[in-house]
Amino acid sequence: MPKRLQVAKTFKMYVDGKFPRSESGRSFDLRAGDRLLAHACLASRKDLRDAVEAARKAHEKWADATPYLRGQILYRVAEMLEGKRRELADLLAPPPPGRGVRRGSPLRPDAEVTASIDRLIAYAGWADKYAQVLGCQNPAAGPYYNFTIPEPTGVVAAIAPDAPALLALVSLIAPVIVSGNTCVALASRANPLPACAFAEACASGDLPPGVLNILTGDRAELLPHVADHRDVDAVHAAALPPRDAALLRAGAAQNVKRVTVRDAVDWSDARQCHSPWWIEPFVEFKTIWHPSSV
Amino acid sequence: MPRTNGATAQPPRWDYAPAPETAKVSIAPRYDHFINNRWTPPTGPKSDAYFDTLNPATEKTLAQVAHGSDADVDAAVRAAAKALPRWRALPPTERAKYIFRIARRVQERARELAVLESTDSGKPIKESRDLDVPQAAAHFFYHAGWADKLPYAFPGRTPTPVGVCAQIIPWNFPLLMAAWKLAPALACGNTCVLKPAETTPLTALRLAEIILDADLPPGVVNVVTGDARTGAALVNHPRVHKIAFTGSTDVGKKIAAATAASPKRLTLELGGKSPHIIFEDASLDQAIEGVIQGIYFNQGEVCCAGSRLFVQESILDQVIRRLEHRMKSLRVGDPLDKNTDVGAVNSRDQLQRIDKYLALGPAEGATLHRANHSTLPERGYWCRPCFFTGVQPSHLVAREEIFGPVLSVMSFRTPDEAIARANNTPYGLAAGVWTDKGSKIFDIARKLKAGVVWCNTYNQFDPASPFGGYKESGFGREGGRHGLRAYLNLA
């Protein structure tokens, strides 16, 4: 009896709720030694622009969704991830020693999947709470109702580090979308495959099209275009080389983008990463005054 | 069209006797930098060591002020860096007491500060007396109380001071902006180098006197006067940890780009082209007063000035008539006269900029309404309040920040159209909305992309109330608990 040939998966990007290849037709190889794991899409500048357009289009409705609904959708995505544990762990598993894709994550694959799911659950819970922690009523010296509320900044780019390929991506995305922003994420260059599987969980988890878009490709190539894009309102990145961070900030100055680059993150530290202070950089504080008088 | 409330009647002729503020304020012929609690002469080349600051209402020189060179900035930053370890280690309750003391001294010298402010900036004495100076004192008082309560401000995090703060402030609210910058920075345990605007350095220097009298340790607050070159030296100084800038969007972007490769923290409070929306169901008397306040306050030289007015079509004619009527009665003239509503424009440059837009508007097809006929003094920089009608969204007077008493009036039919047009700008500092329907006002307030939304009021400020912009109007907030965030690292 011949051994059954495994059906290999095609890994694609996630834009506007669909799974396209790069419009450029480009790809890059991911190999474990001699074995081909996948041809990952090599996103172009045009792909980035398409993704930003999808994110902009989705923004108003997502921002207007009730916090309860956003929380439930994030929770649903976590449920979907739970069902993909094995696939994700396999995609995160290191290739045979001395060969192929380097992972560079201190976490074991199954621990990374667990932490990623738990992170989504934590942020699902924040959806209808962060506004109470970050907002407030202000005791102005006069007959006014005066309060400050957080509102989403808009379209946020998330630039994931090479590792941990899944947990860092989820940790950069979740605080962005929980508050009503829409997101264009660039996956780990070293191992983008878990991001592609995560995108499938998002699609089947009822995340509306365009709320999250995931590109795979070359960070060095796309970063200048992210920095320059006038319709990107903020950037959430981690572990960028100083030169890349400077390039990003210089480009961001053109339209006063809000840029957060995190250094030395312990991704498994829940106290650090499950925090309203990770949501805060991607909200704008609006202060509303109204006189109280007859 | 019904003729109501005398909107079309001839205004009665009121003649006001002059009511000049009589308090005399001493101004020294020459001011040096305030570095390390010492009045420090500038070190730049002799020919460039001092510059003049003028009274914009008379064009007369008030005093000579030191021009901060790179070396002066370096000395100030070093003084601030040296003072930092002891200031941040001070028991917070003690730090608070220093700041409370500043608040009290500002209150005690309120009249002097108000006169000096109006003399150097051109703003009406009633504004400096009733807003700038009391708000400046209130900012110190409010933030003093935070100094020992910071651990409660950011749940789950431990706040620590950022370090040496470079603070660059504009000429429209010289003393108040100094207070907005210094008060939270000091309360959070930082040390400061403040650079006042080139045309309005005198009240910040007077505040330095107050700080000296309040016995603050040397180097905690330093004031370096100068122009854009001085500001650039401060921004680029390697020992500065944080930059807080209030000013134009152009300069803000340059600062953001200049610090891109550095770890410096940055907050920007930049320009605006704030929309003001009046619905047909608004209380019109109050709305007109709000619009007048919103654009003619401080000669319109306000980053959050309500410079784009959107009026629901059914009441457009009525609003235009009332604006003309109300504008006639505004008194333009001597800033030190207690009856003056609109004072002098801050500088010749600014007046030229405003005049450029007054010529541009009609050239693009808008109609200029100049109903005000106040008699203007012979010398000085003056602009009578005015507004444009027939303005298209593409007109420069509807898109660019004029920073003068110039309003662009446009109309809309539906709430959705009002929102879309109000938000159609790269700015997002403030917005105003007038309607007597509660559910509508909150819906509009929610949809306006602006950091401050005034509902049935305009231009309200309070130290407890966060202020700052969306989009290209900047980032970071000033005032309230949110304002502290800019001056703290959270561990």
Side-chain angles (χ1 to χ4, degrees), chain A residues 64 133-135 138 141 144 146 148 151 246 250 253-254 258 271-272 275 277 280 284-291, chain B residues 154-157 253 260 445-446 448 450-456 460 462 465-466 469-471 474 477 481-482 485:
Chain A
D64 280 352
V133 177
L134 298 181
N138 307 307
Y144 293 94
N146 176 320
T148 297
E151 291 188 343
Q254 295 169 43
R258 287 76 168 123
R271 195 197 78 89
Q272 189 185 1
S275 153
W277 305 108
E280 184 226 30
E284 305 291 314
F285 288 104
K286 175 184 281 181
T287 297
I288 299 177
W289 294 69
H290 196 288
Chain B
F154 301 96
R157 287 290 187 265
K253 288 177 179 180
R446 192 171 57 85
L448 286 167
V452 185
V453 179
W454 286 298
C455 302
N456 290 330
Q460 299 295 333
D462 194 278
S465 176
Y470 279 33
K471 301 194 279 186
R477 291 292 175 267
R481 174 163 60 86
H482 296 82
R485 182 69 186 88

Side-chain angles (χ1 to χ4, degrees), chain A residues 2-3 27-28 41 92 101 133 145 150 160 190 193 196 231 236 269 283:
Chain A
K3 202 178 147 207
S27 65
F28 60 105
C41 298
L92 286 165
V101 182
V133 177
Y145 276 104
L193 304 185
C196 298
D231 214 24
H236 195 189
D269 178 0
V283 296

Side-chain angles (χ1 to χ4, degrees), chain B residues 248-295:
Chain B
S248 73
T249 292
D250 278 351
V251 175
K253 288 177 179 180
K254 281 182 193 149
I255 291 175
T259 56
S262 83
K264 288 170 190 164
R265 296 259 315 260
L266 180 63
T267 44
L268 300 172
E269 204 270 84
L270 308 178
K273 190 76 185 173
S274 298
H276 215 147
I277 302 172
I278 308 182
F279 285 97
E280 60 191 1
D281 54 8
S283 295
L284 217 47
D285 290 340
Q286 290 164 38
I288 296 291
E289 274 314 294
V291 169
I292 291 281
Q293 259 302 305
I295 187 64

Side-chain angles (χ1 to χ4, degrees), chain A residues 120-196:
Chain A
L120 274 175
I121 300 284
Y123 277 101
W126 270 123
D128 48 10
K129 295 164 195 73
Y130 72 88
Q132 284 175 318
V133 177
L134 298 181
C136 58
Q137 186 267 339
N138 307 307
Y144 293 94
Y145 276 104
N146 176 320
F147 42 93
T148 297
I149 51 172
E151 291 188 343
T153 297
V155 173
V156 181
I159 312 293
D162 279 346
L166 179 65
L167 180 58
L169 181 81
V170 169
S171 305
L172 292 173
I173 289 170
V176 165
I177 62 175
V178 71
S179 56
N181 295 291
T182 52
C183 183
V184 174
L186 181 60
S188 158
R189 169 68 171 81
N191 186 7
L193 304 185
C196 298

Side-chain angles (χ1 to χ4, degrees), chain A residues 1 22 60 63 72 102 177 196 198 212:
Chain A
M1 186 99 167
S22 170
E60 190 176 333
Q72 287 186 90
R102 265 187 49 232
I177 62 175
C196 298
F198 173 64
L212 173 64

Side-chain angles (χ1 to χ4, degrees), chain A residues 14-72:
Chain A
Y14 178 50
V15 177
D16 203 14
K18 303 183 187 72
F19 291 90
R21 293 193 173 87
S22 170
E23 61 81 34
S24 65
R26 302 181 308 170
S27 65
F28 60 105
D29 290 355
L30 291 162
R31 288 179 186 275
D34 298 335
R35 189 164 66 87
L36 178 76
L37 295 172
H39 297 294
C41 298
L42 186 63
S44 67
R45 182 184 188 180
K46 177 72 165 68
D47 291 320
L48 171 71
R49 279 156 51 182
D50 290 346
V52 171
E53 210 176 300
R56 176 60 62 192
K57 201 177 66 188
H59 175 249
E60 190 176 333
K61 205 168 166 204
W62 182 241
D64 280 352
T66 63
Y68 181 38
L69 180 63
R70 286 202 301 265
Q72 287 186 90

Side-chain angles (χ1 to χ4, degrees), chain A residues 101-115:
Chain A
V101 182
R102 265 187 49 232
R103 290 191 59 257
S105 170
L107 289 165
R108 291 203 349 260
D110 55 340
E112 185 176 339
V113 177
T114 300

